[in-house]
Amino acid sequence: MDNQEFEIVEKIRQQFDNAPYPRIPLEQSPKSNYDILYVHNLVTAYYLRNQKVIDTEGKVILDAGCGTGYKSLVLAEANPGARIVGIDLSEESVKLAKQRLQYHGFDNANFYVISLEELPSLGLEFDYINCDEVLYLLPDIRVGLQSMKFVLKPDGIIRSNLHSSIQRTSYFCAQKIFKLMGLMNDNPGELEMGLVRETMKSLKDRVMLKVLSWSDQKAEEDEWILSNYLLQGDKGYDITEVFAALISANLEFVSMVNWRQWELTDLFKAPDNLPMFLEMSLPEISMEERLHLFELLHPVHRLIDFWCGHPNKARPFLPVSQWTQSDWQVARVHLHPQLKVPQVKEDLLKCIAKQQSFTISRYIPSLSQVPIAVESMVAACLLPLWEGAQPMMSLVQLWLKLKPLHPATLDPVSHETAFEEVRHLLSSLEAFMYLLLERSA
């Protein structure tokens, strides 16, 4: 690291020592935030990569750049029985992270004031590494990726993200302005934040920088000003740069974290009737090209948020859409752990009692742009999943008990009909990963 890079890193450390991030109250719990728990559950990323359900008991999880420990707490809540390790440059942030985990009763957590480059000094290997809102602050993101790869277990998974250079253009322009004004020469404080507010508020409302980046509602939040207008070391990247960095670090792209919000065909009025060029070319282009097209057409994501891992370590699997009837007959069905909680089951029982549709998407809304609802008696077929994983055929038998007669003809429902209806239900919910399906070898 040269002197200029060292100076930038030191400014970042000082900024977060002075203003530890995130400023979330110590007592605030993520237990009811199924969306954030879903993302940070190792089961989610592991299933996407391997179509296997993993037990988090005994796993070792790193929160790289843990800050004040809120994401460390999320990781602990989302992964029962896992050991949590947190690292951060900021000593003040690490103190708060320790307090947070202790306050919420997690004793199996350790925190260290070290950099990403110093990770090997811990002598640990990790099943999962969460590096959230950190990588884009490093002088060289490849060094950060390589450091995490060095301590990643062979089948481990890294979650990291980078600021989008396309979506975040206005903020980078603002940062250049405030650098010219000298507001980022040293650690920004009350004076610098006040000058940012004064400058932005003084602009006419039609000035594009103000239109694209300013919010009167958030303007009084110091954290918002610091993390957008005065963030030391902030940089942006596009998809092609992200993939190039992964290749350079010898890491393999697994998936976008919010993968359902990066679907290119969703941007078109008629996804089944695309312009001829796209209709012909889309099946042939790589995932990198699809994602890059998306960000060029619709740059709505502040973060390029992705999972990656060691190359060629994914378990080969047959997509559910390609399963044969014999595959289905020996399949096991799991409810995603973040739905396998008493409150969701209680809500389902209420819907069944009132004969109302059960809107399963309300618990993890990030997976769907429209509500996903299941008719109450159909959803009743899923109740055994709260007790544990079930053979697909046992759900078929339950279906026959719940719906023994065809509602129009009153004829007995055949086993074949029940099988197809259950298969359709499970397929539709697995597509959103509310349910996880395993095919026996």
Side-chain angles (χ1 to χ4, degrees):
M1 187 182 297
D2 61 29
N3 289 337
Q4 186 177 5
E5 290 177 346
F6 178 82
E7 184 179 334
I8 293 172
V9 171
E10 183 60 18
K11 283 184 176 181
I12 294 169
R13 184 193 65 76
Q14 290 176 5
Q15 181 165 347
F16 288 110
D17 264 348
N18 185 60
Y21 176 89
R23 298 184 185 184
I24 295 176
L26 184 70
E27 65 276 7
Q28 184 171 322
S29 171
K31 281 185 177 181
S32 60
N33 189 336
Y34 303 132
D35 227 339
I36 193 172
L37 293 171
Y38 180 93
V39 165
H40 289 83
N41 192 317
L42 174 54
V43 171
T44 302
Y46 195 86
Y47 182 84
L48 266 172
R49 193 182 197 194
N50 304 295
Q51 203 174 285
K52 289 288 181 182
V53 178
I54 195 170
D55 186 358
T56 60
E57 181 73 34
K59 296 295 184 284
V60 186
I61 295 176
L62 172 68
D63 192 11
C66 62
T68 60
Y70 186 72
K71 289 293 174 62
S72 303
L73 177 61
V74 170
L75 288 163
E77 293 282 6
N79 298 279
R83 176 188 175 188
I84 306 300
V85 177
I87 67 165
D88 201 277
L89 281 175
S90 165
E91 186 173 356
E92 294 304 313
S93 296
V94 165
K95 288 178 184 177
L96 292 170
K98 289 179 180 178
Q99 293 174 17
R100 190 184 302 276
L101 272 288
Q102 290 169 358
Y103 178 90
H104 290 274
F106 290 100
D107 300 320
N108 195 18
N110 304 100
F111 294 90
Y112 305 91
V113 183
I114 62 172
S115 66
L116 271 177
E117 291 86 349
E118 296 172 291
L119 268 175
S121 68
L122 296 179
L124 296 171
E125 284 191 317
F126 299 96
D127 298 279
Y128 187 72
I129 298 176
N130 179 67
C131 185
D132 192 14
E133 306 270 10
V134 173
L135 200 59
Y136 55 77
L137 299 177
L138 301 183
D140 187 343
I141 61 173
R142 295 170 299 177
V143 174
L145 288 169
Q146 288 166 347
S147 297
M148 290 188 285
K149 178 179 180 288
F150 188 83
V151 297
L152 186 69
K153 290 183 180 180
D155 63 345
I157 296 175
I158 298 170
R159 180 271 178 110
S160 193
N161 42 50
L162 293 160
H163 267 155
S164 166
S165 58
I166 301 174
Q167 191 273 346
R168 203 166 157 77
T169 297
S170 57
Y171 289 107
F172 293 131
C173 289
Q175 288 172 17
K176 288 180 180 179
I177 292 169
F178 297 126
K179 283 178 182 177
L180 288 172
M181 292 172 62
L183 303 188
M184 298 174 72
N185 291 343
D186 298 305
N187 185 28
E190 291 296 330
L191 174 63
E192 289 79 6
M193 288 188 284
L195 289 170
V196 168
R197 292 184 177 102
E198 181 183 2
T199 302
M200 296 302 295
K201 288 179 180 180
S202 69
L203 293 172
K204 291 182 177 179
D205 289 341
R206 62 180 175 81
V207 173
M208 286 307 298
L209 181 66
K210 189 172 185 178
V211 170
L212 294 173
S213 73
W214 187 249
S215 167
D216 285 329
Q217 185 177 358
K218 292 186 176 182
E220 300 310 312
E221 298 176 16
D222 289 353
E223 188 174 81
W224 185 73
I225 297 291
L226 288 171
S227 62
N228 287 290
Y229 295 92
L230 298 172
L231 182 56
Q232 300 280 12
D234 194 9
K235 295 180 295 298
Y237 300 83
D238 65 20
I239 288 290
T240 60
E241 292 169 317
V242 172
F243 273 76
L246 290 176
I247 292 170
S248 176
N250 195 26
L251 285 164
E252 180 178 82
F253 176 80
V254 173
S255 168
M256 302 304 285
V257 170
N258 51 344
W259 73 98
R260 294 199 64 89
Q261 297 176 27
W262 281 84
E263 179 50 57
L264 182 59
T265 57
D266 286 348
L267 303 183
F268 294 89
K269 294 178 181 178
D272 295 328
N273 187 26
L274 296 174
M276 185 177 296
F277 174 78
L278 287 173
E279 188 77 46
M280 296 174 63
S281 61
L282 278 187
E284 306 299 326
I285 67 174
S286 66
M287 178 56 69
E288 176 185 346
E289 290 168 322
R290 292 180 73 97
L291 294 171
H292 188 43
L293 268 176
F294 185 101
E295 72 174 348
L296 292 172
L297 288 168
H298 193 49
V300 294
H301 300 300
R302 175 179 70 87
L303 288 173
I304 300 174
D305 202 356
F306 59 91
W307 283 302
C308 63
H310 291 290
N312 305 314
K313 294 298 180 181
R315 297 186 183 186
F317 65 85
L318 188 68
V320 171
S321 60
Q322 298 177 27
W323 283 9
T324 64
Q325 182 166 331
S326 59
D327 292 327
W328 279 101
Q329 288 172 342
V330 294
R332 287 185 65 78
V333 185
H334 302 255
L335 187 67
H336 192 285
Q338 290 331 136
L339 292 174
K340 196 177 176 181
V341 295
Q343 183 60 57
V344 180
K345 183 179 181 181
E346 182 182 329
D347 293 345
L348 173 55
L349 289 170
K350 288 178 182 177
C351 288
I352 294 170
K354 296 178 180 179
Q355 297 185 358
Q356 296 176 341
S357 293
F358 177 61
T359 307
I360 195 169
S361 57
R362 63 181 281 202
Y363 304 101
I364 311 175
S366 63
L367 294 177
S368 175
Q369 297 179 8
V370 296
I372 305 298
V374 183
E375 189 264 318
S376 60
M377 289 308 293
V378 171
C381 177
L382 305 177
L383 279 170
L385 298 177
W386 269 266
E387 307 305 319
Q390 301 292 322
M392 191 269 197
M393 297 310 295
S394 71
L395 298 183
V396 173
Q397 295 301 321
L398 177 57
W399 186 282
L400 285 167
K401 292 178 181 179
L402 292 168
K403 302 181 70 176
L405 302 176
H406 190 283
T409 65
L410 299 183
D411 291 333
V413 172
S414 68
H415 185 277
E416 291 75 15
T417 298
F419 179 91
E420 285 303 311
E421 289 178 338
V422 172
R423 184 188 63 78
H424 176 75
L425 170 66
L426 300 183
S427 296
S428 63
L429 296 181
E430 192 273 345
F432 295 94
M433 281 178 52
Y434 300 127
L435 301 183
L436 310 175
L437 306 179
E438 289 185 308
R439 185 172 66 112
S440 297

